């Protein structure tokens, strides 16, 4: 009888302790939910009325709103000055204005997907699936995310109470930079242009955008679409392929003579150094998205068939013209021959070479952006001391280069 009573007591104590723990966790959960609800209800929000627009600052704009083909080299400084005036008017700061501009950008992509894919195919020979996967679909998702969260991300964040400022409380308030310069690039001409433009708009900035004329068809289309769809006080395109003979260096040099509040550059390391040097004169912050070396390490524990497929596939995207393309492989000596064999098998199964090379354009393979880049790859191949195990030939007329190991 005593033993049974002890067991009952133990069970009751266990039940009480379990109940206490569950009560504690429930209380914590309720407290977290209530805190989130109260914070959402009572935290300060950025209202449009907080940033009144001074329309007098953007009366009589002579250059903002013009198509980029109408803005000459000598007009660049005036156009930048007018865009700065627009920003000072607070036109781009209200949440409703930012959301409207983002929706215009989204509509531009939705209504012109076929034209975008055709331009990418004309310049880079990418198939429609790969063009959409890089230059359309990610942009749609990103812009939709900005639209969904712009109110939350722009809201002042309470930082708690400080003894120094009691009984008031502190807030962290995010502010736009101002007039931003986005420099386009040719290898992913829509993704690496629209993405920073969308981010700048969502943050309340306005943008001077220069397309990269190396990808001429995409540059022409970007100039036309941004002018047609997006509010010119948010995005002004400068550097149409017809201006300054389409010379990117001349136009870029002219643009960098002006003070910007932030610069976004995508390109080579040398280009990044040049942009930082020019921006340093004004202490302008610069975001650099640069190319580099991407070695692949293969040891003797690797699944060589899988590794070969992944390396060949990643290297052939956009004809190797991407900043994260595998540049070379470091492989254990005891498996290097087997790895090369797997790479050759994979490349020969997936891609056409020789006289059939052109048949693969915009199907499984892309092309080099221009003859200059094709020649550069030829020179790299000619200067190597290695042995060509596969491929090595190119077609100058189609700008295609065989998969080469």
């Amino acid at each position: 009888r005593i033993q049974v009573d002890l067991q009952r007591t133990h069970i009751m104590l266990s039940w009480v302790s379990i109940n206490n723990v569950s009560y504690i966790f429930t209380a914590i959960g309720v407290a977290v939910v209530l805190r989130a609800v109260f914070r959402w209800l009572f935290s300060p929000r950025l209202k449009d009325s907080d940033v009144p627009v001074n329309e007098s600052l953007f009366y009589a704009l002579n250059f903002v709103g013009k198509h980029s083909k109408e803005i000459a080299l000598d007009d660049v400084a005036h156009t930048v000055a007018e865009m700065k005036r627009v920003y000072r008017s607070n036109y781009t700061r209200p949440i409703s204005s930012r959301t409207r501009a983002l929706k215009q950008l989204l509509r531009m992509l939705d209504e012109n997907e076929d034209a975008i894919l055709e331009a990418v195919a004309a310049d880079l020979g990418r198939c429609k699936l790969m063009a959409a996967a890089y230059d359309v679909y990610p942009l749609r998702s990103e812009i939709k995310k900005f639209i969904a969260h712009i109110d939350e991300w722009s809201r002042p964040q309470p930082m708690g109470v400080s003894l120094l400022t009691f009984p008031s409380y502190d807030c962290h308030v995010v502010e736009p930079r101002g007039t931003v310069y986005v420099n386009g690039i040719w290898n992913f001409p829509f993704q690496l242009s629209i993405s920073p433009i969308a981010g700048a708009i969502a943050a309340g900035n306005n943008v001077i955008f220069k397309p990269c004329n190396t990808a001429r068809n995409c540059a022409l289309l970007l100039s036309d679409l941004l002018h047609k769809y997006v509010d010119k006080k948010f995005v002004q395109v400068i550097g149409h392929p017809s201006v300054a003979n389409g010379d990117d260096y001349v136009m870029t040099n002219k643009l960098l003579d002006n003070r910007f509040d932030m610069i976004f550059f995508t390109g080579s390391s040398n280009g990044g150094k040049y942009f930082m040097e020019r921006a340093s004169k004004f202490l302008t912050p610069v975001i650099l998205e640069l190319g580099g070396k991407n070695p692949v390490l293969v040891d003797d524990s690797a699944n060589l068939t899988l590794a070969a497929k992944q390396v060949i596939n990643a290297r052939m995207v956009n004809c190797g013209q991407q900043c994260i393309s595998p540049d070379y492989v470091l492989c254990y000596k005891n498996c290097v021959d087997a790895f090369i064999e797997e790479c050759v098998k994979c490349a020969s199964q997936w891609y056409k070479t020789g006289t059939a090379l052109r048949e693969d354009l915009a199907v499984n393979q892309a092309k080099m952006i221009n003859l200059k880049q094709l020649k550069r790859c030829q020179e790299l191949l000619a200067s190597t001391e290695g042995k060509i195990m596969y491929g090595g030939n190119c077609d100058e007329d189609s700008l295609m280069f065989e998969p080469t190991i």
Side-chain angles (χ1 to χ4, degrees):
R1 189 178 299 169
I2 292 172
Q3 186 177 4
V4 170
D5 287 343
L6 286 174
Q7 286 177 347
R8 287 175 179 172
T9 304
H10 176 70
I11 290 169
M12 288 177 67
L13 288 173
S14 299
W15 180 81
V16 170
S17 62
I18 290 170
N19 259 4
N20 287 341
V21 171
S22 64
Y23 286 145
I24 291 170
F25 278 109
T26 302
I28 291 173
V30 170
V32 169
V33 171
L34 286 175
R35 182 177 182 274
V37 170
F38 274 94
R39 191 167 183 174
W40 184 82
L41 288 174
F42 299 109
S43 64
R45 299 185 184 185
L46 183 64
K47 301 187 290 293
D48 287 356
S49 58
D50 295 333
V51 280
V53 178
N54 183 0
E55 295 183 3
S56 64
L57 286 176
F58 52 80
Y59 286 150
L61 296 174
N62 297 315
F63 299 98
V64 171
K66 281 188 173 183
H67 194 286
S68 56
K69 62 187 175 186
E70 299 173 355
I71 299 176
L73 207 58
D74 293 336
D75 300 330
V76 169
H78 301 297
T79 309
V80 174
E82 287 187 359
M83 285 294 279
K84 288 184 172 184
R85 211 166 79 220
V86 169
Y87 174 75
R88 289 197 302 273
S89 75
N90 287 337
Y91 182 85
T92 63
R93 297 189 64 175
I95 299 298
S96 61
S97 299
R98 304 185 207 179
T99 304
R100 185 180 68 251
L102 288 170
K103 288 180 178 178
Q104 291 170 348
L105 209 56
L106 186 61
R107 186 164 71 90
M108 182 189 85
L109 293 171
D110 289 340
E111 294 181 3
N112 297 277
E113 180 177 336
D114 290 340
I116 291 170
L117 301 185
E118 288 173 8
V120 172
D123 284 328
L124 292 154
R126 235 185 291 156
C127 70
K128 287 188 175 183
L129 175 62
M130 294 303 293
Y134 278 86
D135 282 291
V136 178
Y137 299 154
L139 296 174
R140 282 179 179 161
S141 299
E142 188 173 6
I143 294 170
K144 287 177 181 177
K145 187 173 184 178
F146 282 140
I147 292 170
H149 295 282
I150 189 171
D151 186 64
E152 173 192 348
W153 292 343
S154 303
R155 182 183 300 172
Q157 300 297 317
M159 303 301 290
V161 178
S162 168
L163 289 175
L164 294 174
T165 58
F166 184 82
S168 64
Y169 63 91
D170 302 333
C171 279
H172 175 235
V173 181
V174 290
E175 291 283 335
R177 291 282 185 174
T179 298
V180 176
Y181 170 32
V182 174
N183 190 81
I185 191 62
W186 54 263
N187 61 337
F188 294 97
F190 285 87
Q191 182 198 62
L192 297 176
S193 299
I194 303 300
S195 178
I197 287 174
I201 290 173
N205 307 281
N206 63 0
V207 179
I208 296 284
F209 169 64
K210 191 199 81 63
C212 180
N213 293 324
T214 303
R216 183 178 176 81
N217 293 284
C218 292
L220 288 168
L221 187 60
L222 275 166
S223 299
D224 291 341
L225 293 183
L226 287 170
H227 177 76
K228 177 181 177 181
Y229 282 87
V230 184
D231 188 336
K232 287 75 176 175
K233 295 183 184 68
F234 271 95
V235 181
Q236 176 63 54
V237 182
I238 296 179
H240 191 270
S242 64
V243 177
N245 295 318
D247 192 320
D248 285 318
Y249 296 102
V250 171
M251 182 56 73
T252 300
N253 201 41
K254 194 72 173 177
L255 278 162
L256 291 176
D257 286 338
N258 300 275
R259 180 193 292 272
F260 291 94
D261 298 299
M262 176 167 274
I263 295 173
F264 188 97
F265 170 79
T266 303
S268 67
S269 297
N270 288 334
K273 292 175 184 177
Y274 175 72
F275 266 75
M276 290 209 70
E277 181 184 352
R278 294 298 304 276
S280 65
K281 176 183 176 182
F282 304 109
L283 296 179
T284 302
V286 182
I287 297 174
L288 301 177
E289 199 272 286
L290 306 179
K293 299 296 182 182
N294 300 288
V296 177
L297 308 180
V298 178
D299 64 19
D300 53 6
S301 69
N303 180 332
L304 297 182
T305 302
L306 178 61
K309 288 180 178 180
Q310 291 175 331
V311 169
I312 296 296
N313 175 65
R315 183 58 177 171
M316 291 300 292
V317 170
N318 209 33
C319 201
Q321 300 167 119
Q322 61 169 337
C323 58
I324 57 171
S325 177
D327 196 69
Y328 59 93
V329 177
L330 299 174
C331 187
Y332 275 33
K333 286 183 178 179
N334 61 351
C335 60
V336 66
D337 291 334
F339 179 70
I340 291 173
E341 184 180 341
E342 290 294 336
C343 286
V344 170
K345 184 192 302 182
C346 181
S348 61
Q349 288 175 350
W350 287 354
Y351 307 108
K352 295 180 180 181
T353 57
T355 57
L357 182 63
R358 288 195 191 188
E359 298 172 11
D360 230 7
L361 181 60
V363 180
N364 294 313
Q365 299 187 59
K367 65 177 182 177
M368 306 302 291
I369 185 65
N370 54 30
L371 188 59
K372 177 184 175 182
Q373 293 296 329
L374 185 76
K375 293 285 188 184
R376 188 177 70 86
C377 288
Q378 285 179 306
E379 291 169 4
L380 286 171
L381 191 60
S383 64
T384 182
E385 296 178 2
K387 180 182 178 182
I388 298 175
M389 305 300 294
Y390 182 81
N393 300 309
C394 64
D395 181 352
E396 293 189 4
D397 292 332
S398 64
L399 298 178
M400 296 184 70
F401 209 111
E402 287 181 345
T404 303
I405 301 168

